[in-house]
Amino acid sequence: MSAPDLPHSAPAAQGVDALGVHAFLDALEAAPDIEPHSLMIMRHGRLVAAGWWAPYTAGRRHLLYSLSKSFTATAAALAEAEGLLDFDAQVASYFPEFEADITDPRSRAMLVRHVASMASGHRRDTVDEAFGRNVSEPVRQFLLLPPDADPGTVFAYNQPATYTLAAIVQRVTGQPLTAYLRPRLLDPLGIGEVAWLSDRTGRELGFSGLHATTDAIARFGQLYLRDGLWEGERLLPEGWAARAAHPRTPTAGLMGDVNRQDWDRGYGYQFWTSRHGYRGDGAFGQFCLVLPEHDVVIAATSATERMQEYLNLAWKHLLPAFGPEPLTGREAADAELRERLGRLALPPAPGRPEPFGRERDWAGAVFTSSDGAGPLRSAGLTRDADGWTLTLTGERDRPDRPDRLDLRIAGEGWTVAEEPVPAAVSGGWSDGGTLAGDVVFLETPHRLALTCSRAKGTLTAHWRTSPLHPGPLTALRAPRGSV
């Protein structure tokens, strides 16, 4: 059974100037280093703007990267409320099988609230050490890494800290995060099914890997904006939203970029304090912005390494659009915005659906990677009555585990395939000797650009944003079989 839609409203009725939203859309689409995928804006509990840039669509789940952390903290809050978890307990107490090995006094002093606030005492991200090739238990390895300072005194954006928090929740509840959250949070919110990547231990990662729709992000943000109340029902402990959003560890100047103003305001329980409100966010521009002072939630997905620029544009164009009173005489402007949001699309790569000159020069052609180190090993072209198929072979292709995608070349626009991974391709022949295109992996932020040279028989390919979870091309999708 599908969830009921969020309550809708015309922007003007909620004091939102459609021209400001237009200005934000203009700025996003003009920014060369930002590729927007979706946007939802809620004001006073009403959805006033929502759009997806084709080939991304409303019903498709999207990899949220570190926005996953905010859901993990929410699971920890629920476990605390049920008496299963204590934020002031020692982390090691939840893993008695490792206690004898943990001799460093700082490691033993590490509390749950320290890992929940990125204050384990380490001054670096220990992810490579905790998840090394020969590591069978990341929690044990993390706890064996002596902190550089007393826990609670320094900040480091440290993935194993959140992983350990997630491991505690899964241990004390006896369930994966998705299963634990489903009846307590996801179903009551109308989110329903989500998917979360698991590691070699079978645990859901916690620090990353959650796949959910933009609608799910918006509902999650609205729940926090309302201090855990949803349609009159309390889903989160009273006061938890303020606890989670309160900056517990200073972060100024610690993220390595003087231009990251919204990362310099402190860190709470898996939420960042922003110049305006607070937020959960994930790599490449996955955002849940909660703005209590404006009674606004902004949910967005995108592909960008310029996340501060994205926030700068939001503050510049959207904040002035949130007025104190309803606006009158704005029906035409609201209708124009609604029409624009309904036709958003990413520009497809250019190209013809048929080659220049003789088809037989291309039919059956095989192209091999020109550098031997890219994401693709080879590409091949075949022709049938319905047109051309481009077969991509990933660099992780094995006889017992094929890593291949078959994509139809259709010329203008995007052509979507659902298997073996949801992907969309655009492009075609740009001249007599070159076939070029883009492949968008629709359940992730990632786009692959490729070029095949007929004269050289070579293939070049590169990511516009490189996936952070290693794996084959066929793994660039939400895991199936989640709850």
Side-chain angles (χ1 to χ4, degrees):
M1 187 170 101
S2 61
D5 290 340
L6 290 166
H8 286 63
S9 173
Q14 307 304 322
V16 178
D17 187 346
L19 295 180
V21 182
H22 274 297
F24 181 57
L25 296 175
D26 289 343
L28 286 181
E29 294 183 336
D33 297 321
I34 297 176
E35 179 181 289
H37 294 166
S38 68
L39 175 68
M40 295 179 70
I41 303 173
M42 296 192 69
R43 181 90 194 278
H44 303 325
R46 299 289 187 270
L47 183 64
V48 298
W52 285 258
W53 279 260
Y56 287 91
T57 55
R60 200 179 291 280
R61 290 172 292 183
H62 196 282
L63 174 58
L64 303 187
Y65 278 116
S66 284
L67 179 49
S68 310
K69 291 179 170 71
S70 302
F71 286 81
T72 296
T74 305
L78 294 169
E80 180 191 42
E82 293 176 4
L84 302 174
L85 180 153
D86 183 352
F87 272 68
D88 289 319
Q90 291 178 325
V91 170
S93 69
Y94 290 96
F95 304 95
E97 68 273 32
F98 306 146
E99 276 203 278
D101 300 329
I102 303 167
T103 58
D104 184 86
R106 286 172 171 166
S107 294
R108 297 188 68 85
M110 194 187 304
L111 305 181
V112 173
R113 59 182 167 86
H114 294 145
V115 294
S117 58
M118 294 294 186
S120 65
H122 299 94
R123 296 185 185 273
R124 66 194 186 283
D125 189 349
T126 61
V127 65
D128 290 338
E129 297 156 277
F131 288 88
R133 180 173 299 179
N134 297 319
V135 174
S136 59
E137 174 46 84
V139 171
R140 178 181 181 276
Q141 184 64 22
F142 171 63
L143 294 176
L144 289 177
L145 297 171
D148 306 294
D150 290 339
T153 63
V154 298
F155 172 87
Y157 198 65
N158 192 2
Q159 312 298 340
T162 312
Y163 177 85
T164 299
L165 178 66
I168 293 172
V169 173
Q170 292 173 88
R171 173 162 287 201
V172 300
T173 65
Q175 294 179 287
L177 296 169
T178 47
Y180 180 66
L181 287 173
R182 184 81 187 257
R184 293 165 177 82
L185 184 82
L186 303 177
D187 284 346
L189 282 180
I191 293 173
E193 183 178 0
V194 297
W196 214 317
L197 293 176
S198 299
D199 71 350
R200 67 190 74 165
T201 72
R203 293 191 192 108
E204 291 175 343
L205 291 179
F207 66 86
S208 185
L210 178 62
H211 295 69
T213 63
T214 314
D215 177 87
I217 301 172
R219 292 169 188 261
F220 182 70
Q222 185 66 26
L223 179 68
Y224 268 80
L225 183 66
R226 293 289 179 261
D227 187 31
L229 287 174
W230 184 262
E231 297 180 346
E233 180 184 0
R234 177 155 295 284
L235 300 184
L236 300 181
E238 185 175 2
W240 165 254
R243 282 178 65 196
H246 179 73
R248 299 181 178 278
T249 317
T251 59
L254 297 176
M255 296 301 292
D257 186 344
V258 296
N259 295 316
R260 291 169 67 87
Q261 304 100 311
D262 283 288
W263 279 262
D264 284 345
R265 304 293 168 135
Y267 195 77
Y269 286 146
Q270 308 293 298
F271 283 88
W272 293 92
T273 304
S274 293
R275 284 178 288 169
H276 305 279
Y278 61 96
R279 72 189 190 282
D281 67 34
F284 309 118
Q286 325 316 315
F287 289 112
C288 179
L289 309 181
V290 183
L291 309 179
E293 66 271 34
H294 297 285
D295 200 20
V296 163
V297 170
I298 300 170
T301 60
S302 58
T304 181
E305 294 182 348
R306 303 291 295 273
M307 292 173 64
Q308 183 62 67
E309 182 180 349
Y310 189 106
L311 293 175
N312 291 345
L313 296 177
W315 306 150
K316 178 179 179 180
H317 298 291
L318 290 182
L319 292 188
F322 303 139
E325 302 292 340
L327 304 173
T328 58
R330 295 300 190 87
E331 292 80 8
D334 286 351
E336 182 182 354
L337 176 61
R338 185 169 58 252
E339 190 274 336
R340 179 179 181 178
L341 289 166
R343 57 177 171 80
L344 296 173
L346 299 178
R352 290 165 42 110
E354 296 291 339
F356 295 76
R358 298 179 302 180
E359 288 184 6
R360 65 175 179 268
D361 291 341
W362 289 90
V366 175
F367 310 90
T368 56
S369 175
S370 58
D371 58 18
L376 299 179
R377 180 179 298 173
S378 65
L381 268 177
T382 57
R383 169 77 170 166
D384 60 25
D386 296 322
W388 295 88
T389 297
L390 179 66
T391 299
L392 305 182
T393 301
E395 56 93 16
R396 291 173 179 258
D397 184 66
R398 301 290 184 271
D400 60 335
R401 185 175 289 184
D403 186 25
R404 299 176 187 177
L405 305 180
D406 291 331
L407 303 168
R408 302 293 294 188
I409 299 173
E412 295 183 3
W414 294 94
T415 302
V416 176
E418 294 295 336
E419 296 295 338
V421 295
V425 63
S426 65
W429 281 268
S430 58
D431 57 42
T434 305
L435 170 67
D438 284 356
V439 181
V440 172
F441 292 84
L442 294 171
E443 292 182 345
T444 81
H446 302 301
R447 180 195 290 236
L448 184 65
L450 57 94
T451 302
C452 300
S453 168
R454 185 69 189 92
K456 299 178 181 178
T458 57
L459 164 71
T460 59
H462 68 274
W463 292 108
R464 300 289 177 88
T465 55
S466 297
L468 300 183
H469 296 293
L473 298 176
T474 50
L476 290 169
R477 66 182 305 167
R480 300 315 191 239
S482 295
V483 298

